[in-house]
Amino acid sequence: MSYVVLARKWRPQTFSDLVGQGHVSQTLGNAIANNRVAHAFLFTGVRGVGKTTSARILAKALNCMSSEGPTATPCLTCSACKEITDGRDVDVQEIDGASYTGVDEVRRLQESLPYRPSRDRYKIYIVDEVHMLSNNAWNAFLKTLEEPPPHVKFIFATTEVHKVPVTILSRVQRFDFKLIPTKLIIDRLAYVLAQDNIPADNAALAIIAREAAGSMRDAMSLLDQVIAWSDKGLSGEDVARVLGVASRQAVFDLAQGLIQGEPEVTLTVVSELANQGFEMANLARDLLGLLRDIVVAATCRNPSELLDLPDEELERATTLARHDVDDLLRLHQGFSQGYDDVVGSSQPRAALEMLLVRLARRPPLVPIDDLIARLIGLEKRISSASRAGSPPPGPASRSRPPAQGIPPGPTSGPASSTTTSPSSKAPLAARSSPAGGPPSPASKPAPAPSTSVRRSAEPEKNAVAVPEPSGSALGESAAQTGEPPSRLTPQTAVSASRESSGALEPTTHRLAQSEFDQLAELDRWRALVDVVRAGDAKLAAFLDHARIVTVSREQIVVSYEQASFFHAALDPAETRAQLGRAASQLLGCSPVVELRANVEGAAVQTVFDQDRQAREDKRLTAIEQAKQHPVVQEAVRVFGARIKAIELPEA
C-alpha cells in the first residue's frame, strides 16, 4: 500500500475537526440544523486553510444517509460519506476551474442540472479555483446560479476572490477563511505526532508552524519533511537545519545584541549561521518580525493577544521589551529600511553584517523636545543675564574719569555700546547749559582718553539733540537707556527727560525748528504722543491709532475712521487741549489741532502699526538667530531632525 502524506491522512472529516475556522463551522452547522442552507456558497482564503475540505464536509453533511435529512455531524460510515471522502460519489462532482474555463463546459453542466441525483439527497458541484473561469463562462452561469433546481447546490472555492465578478458575488454566500494562528497549528502538529508516537520539543513545532505562515497543509507537508530526517524525535536545531532557517535562539541572540548595543555579538551569530548554510534573507526576515513583536510587547499591557508566539518565546520577547520604546522603534525602523538592501544585495551576508553593526552602534536617543527645552532655558538665562547688567568693566574703562557733568551710573549694556568717541562728547557741554545757551568755559568736558572704545561718529537717522536742564539728569537718563546723549531720538529724549525731572515744564525740552523739520511726520507725531503719555496713558494709547494728515508747528491734523472704536471713545475738546499742551512743551508753540473723520490721503501707518512691525521684526530676527545657533544646527545634523518650533524667551 502506498504512503499517504500527513496532509491527506489527517484531513478534517467533520466541522468539529476543522482548525481555526470556527466562524465557518458554526455558521454552516446552524444553517443545516435550521434548514436554511443556501443554494450557492463561495469559500475564499489563502492556500491550505480548509476551503476544499470544508466543501467536502458540507457535501457529506447534506447527503449523509444515516439521518432522515441533512445533519451537521455526518456519520462518516455510510456509503455516501465514504464515497465523498474518497472522491467517488457520482452526485458530488469536484471540478477544476483551471481546466473548466469555457462556455461549452458550463453549457454541458447546465444540461445535467434538471435531472435528479442518482442516489444522494443533493447534486453538489464543487468548483475549485473558480476565479479561472472566463467571462463568457461566468455569464453563462448567472441565470443558473440565481435560480438552480432545488436539488442542486454549488460550492465555489478560490484564492483570488477579487477576480470573481460582482454579479456572481451577489448570488452566493461568501465565507472568508482566515489564516490559522501559530498556536493552533502547534497544537494540531503535537496531536498528529502523538498519534504516531514521535517525540518533538516545542522549539521544533514552533519553527514548523512559523514557516507554515498560517497554512495547515503547509505545516503538515513540512512535518512530513522533518520526520523523514529523523522519526525518533524532533528538536529545534534539527528542524532549523532541515528547513534551512535559523533557530529562534539565534534570532533572539541577534535581537538582544542589537538592543544592548553589542555589535560583536551580532557578527558572531551571523558568522555561525552563515557557516551552517542558512539563508541571510530568511534570517533578516525572521529578525525583522521579532523586532516588531518586541515593540508590540513593549507597547501593550497584554501582548499575548496580539503576538502569535509560543509561551517561551513570548516570555523572552517581553523580557527584551523592557527597554525604551522610542529606541526599539528606531531599531525596527532602521532595520526595515535596510531589509530590502539585504534581500536584494549580491552579498547579503556583508549587507546584513554592516546593517547590524550600524544599528548596534547607534548613539543614545535624545528627544528633540528635550533638546529644544534646553535651548530655550539657555536663551532665557542669557536674556536674564543681559537684562540684569553688563559684565564688570575692563581696566581701561575703570581708569577713565567720567565726563564732566555726567556722573557714573548703571548701564544696560557692555562698554562697547555705551561709550562714545570724543567727537560725540563735544556737543554735550553745549546742551548742558541752561535754556540752550552757549556753553561756559568751565563746563567744557575733558578730552576722552585714547583708549575709549570707538563708536561710529556718523549720526543715526532721525537722531536729534535735545536740551536738558542739567548734565546730571541727562547723564543718568542716557546711562539707563543705553544710548549716548548726543544720539537720542525724540521719543527717547522725552522718555529720558520724564524719568529724570518728573513732570515736564513748558519750554524746557523744546526741539529746535531745524531738528523738528528733519523728522518724518510720523516721528513728530510720536514725540507729541509720548509727551501726552506722561500725563494720560489711556489717551496716548488711543492716539497711537491715529492716522497722520499733517504735523507741523502751525497745524496738527489727524484722522480716524468714523465708525471705529477710537473715534467714538475720544473727547474732541479734551484731546485737542492735551495735544496743545504737549506741543507747547515740546515745540514752544500753539498749533491748531484738528480731529477729523475719514480724511482721504491720511497716512496708512500709525504709531501702533510701526511698533507692531518693529516687534515682529525683532521676533523674526530672534527666530533666525536661534536657527543659526551652533547647538541647534549640530542637533539637526546629528539626529537628522528638523526644527519643529522656536519659543522665544519672555521679554
Side-chain angles (χ1 to χ4, degrees):
M1 183 176 179
S2 61
Y3 173 71
V4 180
V5 296
L6 295 179
R8 292 180 56 191
K9 179 180 179 181
W10 295 101
R11 173 174 251 167
Q13 301 300 319
T14 63
F15 287 124
S16 59
D17 295 338
L18 200 60
V19 178
Q21 311 299 341
H23 62 294
V24 177
S25 302
Q26 183 175 351
T27 304
L28 294 178
N30 292 340
I32 294 173
N34 298 326
N35 195 24
R36 300 178 62 87
V37 181
H39 60 273
F41 300 89
L42 176 64
F43 295 163
T44 176
V46 299
R47 77 279 178 272
V49 292
K51 299 184 298 295
T52 305
T53 298
S54 298
R56 290 183 179 181
I57 295 175
L58 179 59
K60 287 185 284 188
L62 295 177
N63 288 333
C64 182
M65 301 177 64
S66 62
S67 60
E68 296 181 359
T71 176
T73 56
C75 67
L76 305 180
T77 57
C78 65
S79 57
C81 290
K82 290 182 178 180
E83 291 178 5
I84 292 174
T85 301
D86 298 337
R88 297 182 289 107
D89 195 320
V90 295
D91 294 325
V92 178
Q93 299 185 26
E94 294 190 26
I95 302 172
D96 181 15
S99 58
Y100 200 82
T101 59
V103 66
D104 295 334
E105 289 83 356
V106 175
R107 187 178 295 113
R108 285 194 295 269
L109 184 147
Q110 290 173 332
E111 292 174 354
S112 65
L113 294 181
Y115 301 102
R116 295 195 60 82
S118 60
R119 182 196 61 191
D120 296 343
R121 195 174 291 113
Y122 295 98
K123 271 189 173 182
I124 299 177
Y125 294 91
I126 302 174
V127 185
D128 203 4
E129 300 300 328
V130 71
H131 63 273
M132 300 295 291
L133 295 181
S134 63
N135 290 332
N136 292 333
W138 279 123
N139 293 331
F141 244 130
L142 289 178
K143 186 63 178 178
T144 302
L145 196 60
E146 185 173 7
E147 297 179 358
H151 57 271
V152 174
K153 303 290 183 184
F154 291 100
I155 305 176
F156 300 146
T158 179
T159 56
E160 302 181 37
V161 68
H162 60 278
K163 294 184 178 180
V164 179
V166 179
T167 52
I168 298 297
L169 295 176
S170 64
R171 289 170 167 82
V172 300
Q173 282 190 4
R174 173 176 169 176
F175 290 85
D176 290 275
F177 285 68
K178 303 176 182 178
L179 291 173
I180 303 175
T182 301
K183 292 182 179 180
L184 296 181
I185 295 179
I186 291 176
D187 294 340
R188 184 65 176 177
L189 295 179
Y191 172 79
V192 171
L193 291 174
Q195 301 303 311
D196 292 341
N197 296 322
I198 300 176
D201 57 20
N202 293 332
L205 299 180
I207 293 176
I208 296 174
R210 188 175 295 103
E211 291 300 311
S215 171
M216 184 63 74
R217 184 173 62 229
D218 289 3
M220 290 295 178
S221 300
L222 294 175
L223 183 60
D224 251 334
Q225 181 179 349
V226 297
I227 289 177
W229 165 269
S230 175
D231 58 359
K232 297 181 180 180
L234 303 178
S235 64
E237 295 181 359
D238 293 339
V239 171
R241 186 177 297 107
V242 172
L243 300 183
V245 298
S247 65
R248 296 301 289 178
Q249 178 65 33
V251 178
F252 272 99
D253 291 342
L254 276 178
Q256 183 174 352
L258 280 179
I259 294 174
Q260 296 180 354
E262 299 175 347
E264 183 178 357
V265 174
T266 62
L267 293 179
T268 301
V269 174
V270 171
S271 176
E272 294 175 355
L273 296 177
N275 293 335
Q276 297 176 18
F278 292 107
E279 291 289 338
M280 294 294 104
N282 293 338
L283 176 60
R285 179 202 62 192
D286 294 342
L287 181 55
L288 181 61
L290 179 57
L291 291 176
R292 174 261 175 192
D293 294 340
I294 293 174
V295 172
V296 173
T299 307
C300 302
R301 295 182 179 179
N302 190 8
S304 59
E305 298 178 356
L306 299 176
L307 297 181
D308 196 9
L309 296 175
D311 294 338
E312 295 180 359
E313 294 185 7
L314 178 60
E315 182 179 357
R316 186 166 184 184
T318 304
T319 302
L320 292 177
R322 296 168 184 170
H323 196 71
D324 182 63
V325 179
D326 292 333
D327 193 45
L328 295 177
L329 283 171
R330 183 164 59 139
L331 269 180
H332 181 272
Q333 183 180 9
F335 195 86
S336 62
Q337 291 175 351
Y339 173 76
D340 293 336
D341 296 337
V342 175
V343 175
S345 175
S346 59
Q347 299 291 332
R349 174 180 175 179
L352 178 59
E353 288 176 336
M354 295 304 102
L355 176 60
L356 293 175
V357 170
R358 177 168 61 85
L359 294 178
R361 298 184 69 254
R362 65 195 181 280
L365 187 64
V366 178
I368 297 298
D369 293 342
D370 292 350
L371 185 59
I372 293 176
R374 295 179 187 177
L375 292 176
I376 293 174
L378 179 61
E379 292 289 344
K380 288 183 178 180
R381 290 194 296 271
I382 294 176
S383 300
S384 300
S386 299
R387 290 194 297 268
S390 61
S397 61
R398 285 197 298 266
S399 62
R400 183 173 63 249
Q404 293 182 3
I406 304 180
T411 59
S412 60
S416 59
S417 63
T418 58
T419 57
T420 60
S421 62
S423 60
S424 66
K425 295 180 179 292
L428 180 59
R431 293 194 303 271
S432 302
S433 60
S440 61
S443 62
K444 292 183 180 181
S450 59
T451 56
S452 173
V453 180
R454 289 183 299 173
R455 185 174 181 178
S456 174
E458 183 180 353
E460 295 182 1
K461 184 178 180 181
N462 297 337
V464 296
V466 182
E468 290 290 325
S470 67
S472 173
L474 179 58
E476 294 178 359
S477 300
Q480 292 172 1
T481 58
E483 294 286 341
S486 61
R487 311 184 66 80
L488 294 177
T489 59
Q491 56 268 33
T492 308
V494 173
S495 176
S497 300
R498 182 167 60 248
E499 293 177 3
S500 61
S501 59
L504 294 176
E505 297 297 335
T507 70
T508 303
H509 307 285
R510 299 172 184 172
L511 293 177
Q513 177 68 39
S514 59
E515 297 169 346
F516 182 77
D517 293 340
Q518 291 177 0
L519 297 178
E521 285 193 313
L522 187 59
D523 291 334
R524 302 175 190 173
W525 176 248
R526 178 186 290 275
L528 287 171
V529 172
D530 284 345
V531 176
V532 174
R533 201 183 314 275
D536 191 342
K538 178 180 177 181
L539 177 59
F542 288 166
L543 296 178
D544 285 342
H545 293 270
R547 301 191 182 278
I548 310 305
V549 178
T550 181
V551 178
S552 66
R553 288 180 175 272
E554 294 77 21
Q555 187 181 26
I556 299 176
V557 181
V558 294
S559 173
Y560 286 96
E561 295 183 7
Q562 189 169 6
S564 67
F565 164 78
F566 303 104
H567 183 268
L570 285 176
D571 182 353
E574 177 64 21
T575 303
R576 286 195 294 268
Q578 290 271 24
L579 287 174
R581 288 193 292 270
S584 177
Q585 293 175 5
L586 184 65
L587 306 176
C589 60
S590 299
V592 177
V593 180
E594 297 184 33
L595 302 179
R596 300 179 184 178
N598 300 332
V599 177
E600 295 184 0
V604 176
Q605 192 179 42
T606 66
V607 172
F608 176 81
D609 296 335
Q610 192 180 57
D611 292 342
R612 180 174 56 186
Q613 183 63 42
R615 290 192 298 269
E616 179 64 15
D617 293 343
K618 182 178 180 181
R619 186 184 70 86
L620 295 178
T621 301
I623 290 176
E624 188 61 29
Q625 290 175 351
K627 290 182 179 179
Q628 300 301 325
H629 197 284
V631 177
V632 176
Q633 293 184 343
E634 183 68 11
V636 172
R637 185 189 68 80
V638 172
F639 299 109
R642 61 182 179 85
I643 299 176
K644 180 179 180 181
I646 295 178
E647 182 178 343
L648 298 179
E650 298 179 359

